[in-house]
Amino acid sequence: YPIMLKWRGQCCTYRSGLMNSARGKRLRIRTRSRWAAVRTAVLLLSLAVLPNVVLAQQEQALPTFEELEADGAVIGEIRIDSRDIFDLDDPKENNALYRLANALHIRTRPDVIRRALLFHSGEPVSAQRIQETERNLRGLSYLYDVQIRPISYKDGIVDIEVVTRDSWTLDPGLGFSRKGGDNESKYGLKEVNLLGTGIAIEWQRTEVAEGTEDQFQFANNQMFGSRVRLSYKYDDLVNAELHSIAVVRPFYSLDSRWTAGIQGSTLDQLATVSGADYQRKRYAASAFGGWSRGLVDGWTHRYSAGLNFVEDTYELLPGQSAGIETPLDETRVSPFVRYEVIEDRFVETKNRNKVERPEYFLLGFASNITIGYAATALGSTRPAWTYAASINKGWDFSRDRILVARGAVAGVYADGDDEEQLISANVQYFAPQSNRAQSFIGLAVDAANNAFENAQLTLGGKNGLSGYPTDYQSGNRRVLLNLEQRLYSDWYPFRLFRVGGGVFLDTGRAWHDEQTGAGDNAWLSSVGFGLRLFSVRSAFGTVWRLDIAFPINPPDDVPDHQILFYRSTNF
């Protein structure tokens, strides 16, 4: 309530944020002495400010979710506060441009947020579920910020508020990039939160060196208000056309108990095998279901089974002569089983792959393995075992250093041979020197065997070796080492971008193993420096990267520098 103090014809007004029955009125006090006026002012100011102080102390005194869980508290009311992109109560964000952005943007519907929660009214408080909910919500591209907090606690009942702030979700798709000496431009339209429903839809046309490519995507992660996800994708590429559709009810949390789904795809592409061009067509479909006991003692174990169908056909193009190796038409109908284990151990940090944004790293153990058998009795061309497995593990050390390692293998075993096998492993190490600087080391190793479509592993400007043209080296073996010194500034231009940069050294090699009898490529290295501009208020996690890279002792056919400008999602 506003308070006006008048003394000898001079007025001063005090306006408090605390509102009561005197709201909207002015309290006029006349006094006969200066000291009486001062004493009255002090008294009234105290009465106005004290309740706010008491309320603030009460809010600070609320227990944490861990303490509430230990006390056996039960969740009462859950309030959803879905906010606009910009906070107009912040003077730095209260201007005509940001008010216009808020006016044009449709806020996320509270029901969309509510359906994503892993906790509900009437349930006992679980700090783990609340933390996982916040982690999942932050993973939604259309949300910029998320806060989940208790707002009142009485008689064992706690009321919870979920506060979210939206991101800008409409992307005109205009862009230009240059990597490895190749230019790429695109335009289109993308909306990842259609009318505040969380539905994503996109159309994009890209102009690449080889021609024009079109892409259309649709995704709804809450079909009919459920956990079922529907997605469709169409790609019309230079040398291929792809359709895919999936309807899946996933394991949406560590404690979810079941999953089921169906998915299918078609691929029509130009494939080159032993120097000859073929028209390759692939039809694939899958149906599966799975079960889990949920999260038990910090671990989740999941069991699934299903059926895969894949049919590949190859047709030699007119005027072509078959090469030494001729691809064979093949059909695989293979039942499969899958086992997955996840240890619930995540760490929240910032200034790793992004600037001033929360990031989560899985430091617990995680692994999955899938084994299938293609039987001739089910229509398969020949008996074959299919397999895929991965393993992940992270470690945290003193001074906030983090090491994350991952390995994976996938392939087909038939007629006593390993076929279409791909093995990969990578390690990432983050060593911060301060909140604004850190060293990064990345090591990746890949090997492919007898896989027509996967045998060529390449190195160049588009895939990790910045100082060289695109696909400068190729083979069925590849090693790449990236060393970076990253810098994270606190500059926040226009409240839209975060700025970072650094210097880097890349070294690697792609080659063929001895059995192929194909050339021996030398080790390649490059150094450079770059600028990173993070568009933090958009839903697309865009990082504009500008790098200038210089090859070290390059061959004569390599330029003495490369300029790379493109969009990414990480540092």
mmCIF file of all heavy atoms in Angstrom, residues 56-81:
data_model
loop_
_atom_site.group_PDB
_atom_site.id
_atom_site.type_symbol
_atom_site.label_atom_id
_atom_site.label_comp_id
_atom_site.label_asym_id
_atom_site.label_seq_id
_atom_site.Cartn_x
_atom_site.Cartn_y
_atom_site.Cartn_z
ATOM 1 N N ALA A 56 9.852 -14.085 3.987
ATOM 2 C CA ALA A 56 11.110 -14.549 3.386
ATOM 3 C C ALA A 56 11.796 -15.552 4.299
ATOM 4 O O ALA A 56 12.329 -16.564 3.840
ATOM 5 C CB ALA A 56 12.026 -13.361 3.103
ATOM 6 N N GLN A 57 11.785 -15.276 5.623
ATOM 7 C CA GLN A 57 12.415 -16.202 6.549
ATOM 8 C C GLN A 57 11.678 -17.539 6.571
ATOM 9 O O GLN A 57 12.289 -18.606 6.644
ATOM 10 C CB GLN A 57 12.455 -15.586 7.948
ATOM 11 C CG GLN A 57 13.420 -14.429 8.076
ATOM 12 C CD GLN A 57 13.374 -13.788 9.458
ATOM 13 O OE1 GLN A 57 12.436 -13.997 10.217
ATOM 14 N NE2 GLN A 57 14.405 -13.012 9.764
ATOM 15 N N GLN A 58 10.328 -17.481 6.489
ATOM 16 C CA GLN A 58 9.565 -18.702 6.464
ATOM 17 C C GLN A 58 9.873 -19.520 5.213
ATOM 18 O O GLN A 58 9.985 -20.742 5.260
ATOM 19 C CB GLN A 58 8.069 -18.383 6.516
ATOM 20 C CG GLN A 58 7.608 -17.852 7.875
ATOM 21 C CD GLN A 58 6.146 -17.472 7.862
ATOM 22 O OE1 GLN A 58 5.548 -17.353 6.798
ATOM 23 N NE2 GLN A 58 5.586 -17.284 9.043
ATOM 24 N N GLU A 59 10.015 -18.843 4.060
ATOM 25 C CA GLU A 59 10.333 -19.545 2.819
ATOM 26 C C GLU A 59 11.705 -20.193 2.902
ATOM 27 O O GLU A 59 11.896 -21.325 2.477
ATOM 28 C CB GLU A 59 10.269 -18.570 1.645
ATOM 29 C CG GLU A 59 10.516 -19.232 0.300
ATOM 30 C CD GLU A 59 10.349 -18.277 -0.855
ATOM 31 O OE1 GLU A 59 9.842 -17.159 -0.635
ATOM 32 O OE2 GLU A 59 10.726 -18.648 -1.973
ATOM 33 N N GLN A 60 12.682 -19.439 3.481
ATOM 34 C CA GLN A 60 14.017 -20.003 3.622
ATOM 35 C C GLN A 60 14.013 -21.169 4.601
ATOM 36 O O GLN A 60 14.824 -22.076 4.497
ATOM 37 C CB GLN A 60 14.991 -18.921 4.085
ATOM 38 C CG GLN A 60 15.242 -17.843 3.037
ATOM 39 C CD GLN A 60 16.142 -16.735 3.561
ATOM 40 O OE1 GLN A 60 16.514 -16.739 4.725
ATOM 41 N NE2 GLN A 60 16.487 -15.798 2.702
ATOM 42 N N ALA A 61 13.076 -21.176 5.545
ATOM 43 C CA ALA A 61 13.057 -22.213 6.562
ATOM 44 C C ALA A 61 12.419 -23.504 6.071
ATOM 45 O O ALA A 61 12.433 -24.503 6.785
ATOM 46 C CB ALA A 61 12.307 -21.708 7.798
ATOM 47 N N LEU A 62 11.809 -23.502 4.874
ATOM 48 C CA LEU A 62 11.206 -24.723 4.363
ATOM 49 C C LEU A 62 12.274 -25.796 4.183
ATOM 50 O O LEU A 62 13.375 -25.519 3.708
ATOM 51 C CB LEU A 62 10.515 -24.458 3.022
ATOM 52 C CG LEU A 62 9.197 -23.690 3.077
ATOM 53 C CD1 LEU A 62 8.722 -23.367 1.667
ATOM 54 C CD2 LEU A 62 8.138 -24.479 3.819
ATOM 55 N N PRO A 63 11.971 -27.026 4.560
ATOM 56 C CA PRO A 63 12.969 -28.092 4.410
ATOM 57 C C PRO A 63 13.221 -28.425 2.946
ATOM 58 O O PRO A 63 12.415 -28.117 2.070
ATOM 59 C CB PRO A 63 12.327 -29.276 5.151
ATOM 60 C CG PRO A 63 10.882 -28.951 5.259
ATOM 61 C CD PRO A 63 10.742 -27.473 5.202
ATOM 62 N N THR A 64 14.349 -29.058 2.692
ATOM 63 C CA THR A 64 14.671 -29.521 1.349
ATOM 64 C C THR A 64 13.836 -30.757 1.032
ATOM 65 O O THR A 64 13.205 -31.358 1.916
ATOM 66 C CB THR A 64 16.155 -29.868 1.230
ATOM 67 O OG1 THR A 64 16.439 -30.979 2.097
ATOM 68 C CG2 THR A 64 17.022 -28.692 1.642
ATOM 69 N N PHE A 65 13.832 -31.143 -0.242
ATOM 70 C CA PHE A 65 13.081 -32.340 -0.616
ATOM 71 C C PHE A 65 13.665 -33.588 0.054
ATOM 72 O O PHE A 65 12.920 -34.519 0.393
ATOM 73 C CB PHE A 65 13.066 -32.499 -2.132
ATOM 74 C CG PHE A 65 12.155 -31.535 -2.824
ATOM 75 C CD1 PHE A 65 12.638 -30.613 -3.741
ATOM 76 C CD2 PHE A 65 10.797 -31.533 -2.551
ATOM 77 C CE1 PHE A 65 11.790 -29.725 -4.386
ATOM 78 C CE2 PHE A 65 9.941 -30.639 -3.190
ATOM 79 C CZ PHE A 65 10.445 -29.726 -4.101
ATOM 80 N N GLU A 66 14.968 -33.622 0.255
ATOM 81 C CA GLU A 66 15.566 -34.753 0.963
ATOM 82 C C GLU A 66 15.071 -34.809 2.395
ATOM 83 O O GLU A 66 14.750 -35.897 2.927
ATOM 84 C CB GLU A 66 17.099 -34.654 0.934
ATOM 85 C CG GLU A 66 17.728 -34.921 -0.423
ATOM 86 C CD GLU A 66 17.664 -33.710 -1.356
ATOM 87 O OE1 GLU A 66 17.164 -32.651 -0.912
ATOM 88 O OE2 GLU A 66 18.105 -33.829 -2.516
ATOM 89 N N GLU A 67 14.984 -33.652 3.057
ATOM 90 C CA GLU A 67 14.478 -33.606 4.433
ATOM 91 C C GLU A 67 12.992 -33.944 4.486
ATOM 92 O O GLU A 67 12.531 -34.635 5.413
ATOM 93 C CB GLU A 67 14.743 -32.227 5.026
ATOM 94 C CG GLU A 67 16.219 -31.916 5.211
ATOM 95 C CD GLU A 67 16.481 -30.456 5.549
ATOM 96 O OE1 GLU A 67 15.608 -29.614 5.242
ATOM 97 O OE2 GLU A 67 17.557 -30.174 6.104
ATOM 98 N N LEU A 68 12.242 -33.468 3.498
ATOM 99 C CA LEU A 68 10.819 -33.790 3.450
ATOM 100 C C LEU A 68 10.601 -35.285 3.260
ATOM 101 O O LEU A 68 9.702 -35.881 3.872
ATOM 102 C CB LEU A 68 10.154 -33.018 2.309
ATOM 103 C CG LEU A 68 10.002 -31.510 2.514
ATOM 104 C CD1 LEU A 68 9.629 -30.832 1.202
ATOM 105 C CD2 LEU A 68 8.955 -31.215 3.587
ATOM 106 N N GLU A 69 11.420 -35.911 2.419
ATOM 107 C CA GLU A 69 11.309 -37.356 2.226
ATOM 108 C C GLU A 69 11.621 -38.103 3.516
ATOM 109 O O GLU A 69 10.923 -39.066 3.878
ATOM 110 C CB GLU A 69 12.249 -37.808 1.112
ATOM 111 C CG GLU A 69 12.183 -39.299 0.817
ATOM 112 C CD GLU A 69 13.093 -39.720 -0.323
ATOM 113 O OE1 GLU A 69 13.783 -38.844 -0.895
ATOM 114 O OE2 GLU A 69 13.109 -40.922 -0.650
ATOM 115 N N ALA A 70 12.664 -37.650 4.204
ATOM 116 C CA ALA A 70 13.020 -38.292 5.478
ATOM 117 C C ALA A 70 11.917 -38.135 6.521
ATOM 118 O O ALA A 70 11.718 -39.017 7.367
ATOM 119 C CB ALA A 70 14.333 -37.717 5.998
ATOM 120 N N ASP A 71 11.174 -37.035 6.475
ATOM 121 C CA ASP A 71 10.077 -36.792 7.421
ATOM 122 C C ASP A 71 8.803 -37.523 7.034
ATOM 123 O O ASP A 71 7.801 -37.454 7.768
ATOM 124 C CB ASP A 71 9.790 -35.289 7.519
ATOM 125 C CG ASP A 71 10.889 -34.533 8.251
ATOM 126 O OD1 ASP A 71 11.696 -35.191 8.934
ATOM 127 O OD2 ASP A 71 10.934 -33.293 8.126
ATOM 128 N N GLY A 72 8.802 -38.184 5.866
ATOM 129 C CA GLY A 72 7.600 -38.884 5.434
ATOM 130 C C GLY A 72 6.519 -37.961 4.910
ATOM 131 O O GLY A 72 5.324 -38.300 4.948
ATOM 132 N N ALA A 73 6.890 -36.792 4.387
ATOM 133 C CA ALA A 73 5.915 -35.820 3.895
ATOM 134 C C ALA A 73 5.190 -36.365 2.663
ATOM 135 O O ALA A 73 5.728 -37.167 1.887
ATOM 136 C CB ALA A 73 6.613 -34.511 3.553
ATOM 137 N N VAL A 74 3.946 -35.900 2.494
ATOM 138 C CA VAL A 74 3.111 -36.279 1.364
ATOM 139 C C VAL A 74 2.870 -35.042 0.500
ATOM 140 O O VAL A 74 2.710 -33.926 1.016
ATOM 141 C CB VAL A 74 1.769 -36.867 1.848
ATOM 142 C CG1 VAL A 74 0.836 -37.138 0.666
ATOM 143 C CG2 VAL A 74 2.008 -38.154 2.628
ATOM 144 N N ILE A 75 2.863 -35.241 -0.807
ATOM 145 C CA ILE A 75 2.675 -34.125 -1.741
ATOM 146 C C ILE A 75 1.218 -33.689 -1.734
ATOM 147 O O ILE A 75 0.303 -34.511 -1.865
ATOM 148 C CB ILE A 75 3.099 -34.531 -3.160
ATOM 149 C CG1 ILE A 75 4.586 -34.921 -3.179
ATOM 150 C CG2 ILE A 75 2.848 -33.398 -4.149
ATOM 151 C CD1 ILE A 75 5.044 -35.486 -4.502
ATOM 152 N N GLY A 76 1.008 -32.384 -1.554
ATOM 153 C CA GLY A 76 -0.332 -31.821 -1.609
ATOM 154 C C GLY A 76 -0.611 -31.237 -2.978
ATOM 155 O O GLY A 76 -0.601 -31.935 -3.989
ATOM 156 N N GLU A 77 -0.789 -29.932 -3.026
ATOM 157 C CA GLU A 77 -1.071 -29.264 -4.293
ATOM 158 C C GLU A 77 0.209 -29.104 -5.106
ATOM 159 O O GLU A 77 1.281 -28.822 -4.562
ATOM 160 C CB GLU A 77 -1.693 -27.889 -4.030
ATOM 161 C CG GLU A 77 -2.024 -27.111 -5.299
ATOM 162 C CD GLU A 77 -2.512 -25.701 -5.012
ATOM 163 O OE1 GLU A 77 -2.549 -25.312 -3.827
ATOM 164 O OE2 GLU A 77 -2.838 -24.983 -5.984
ATOM 165 N N ILE A 78 0.079 -29.287 -6.417
ATOM 166 C CA ILE A 78 1.189 -29.048 -7.342
ATOM 167 C C ILE A 78 0.778 -27.903 -8.258
ATOM 168 O O ILE A 78 -0.186 -28.029 -9.025
ATOM 169 C CB ILE A 78 1.519 -30.298 -8.178
ATOM 170 C CG1 ILE A 78 1.922 -31.461 -7.264
ATOM 171 C CG2 ILE A 78 2.649 -29.990 -9.166
ATOM 172 C CD1 ILE A 78 2.154 -32.767 -8.007
ATOM 173 N N ARG A 79 1.486 -26.795 -8.163
ATOM 174 C CA ARG A 79 1.168 -25.621 -8.971
ATOM 175 C C ARG A 79 2.138 -25.533 -10.146
ATOM 176 O O ARG A 79 3.347 -25.671 -9.972
ATOM 177 C CB ARG A 79 1.262 -24.348 -8.127
ATOM 178 C CG ARG A 79 0.357 -24.348 -6.901
ATOM 179 C CD ARG A 79 0.545 -23.089 -6.081
ATOM 180 N NE ARG A 79 -0.163 -23.177 -4.806
ATOM 181 C CZ ARG A 79 -0.088 -22.237 -3.850
ATOM 182 N NH1 ARG A 79 0.666 -21.159 -4.043
ATOM 183 N NH2 ARG A 79 -0.758 -22.402 -2.717
ATOM 184 N N ILE A 80 1.592 -25.297 -11.318
ATOM 185 C CA ILE A 80 2.407 -25.131 -12.516
ATOM 186 C C ILE A 80 2.410 -23.657 -12.893
ATOM 187 O O ILE A 80 1.349 -23.067 -13.119
ATOM 188 C CB ILE A 80 1.861 -25.964 -13.691
ATOM 189 C CG1 ILE A 80 1.690 -27.433 -13.281
ATOM 190 C CG2 ILE A 80 2.786 -25.841 -14.888
ATOM 191 C CD1 ILE A 80 2.962 -28.142 -12.927
ATOM 192 N N ASP A 81 3.592 -23.069 -12.939
ATOM 193 C CA ASP A 81 3.745 -21.663 -13.321
ATOM 194 C C ASP A 81 4.568 -21.625 -14.607
ATOM 195 O O ASP A 81 5.796 -21.639 -14.578
ATOM 196 C CB ASP A 81 4.433 -20.882 -12.200
ATOM 197 C CG ASP A 81 4.525 -19.390 -12.499
ATOM 198 O OD1 ASP A 81 4.012 -18.964 -13.555
ATOM 199 O OD2 ASP A 81 5.112 -18.653 -11.677
#
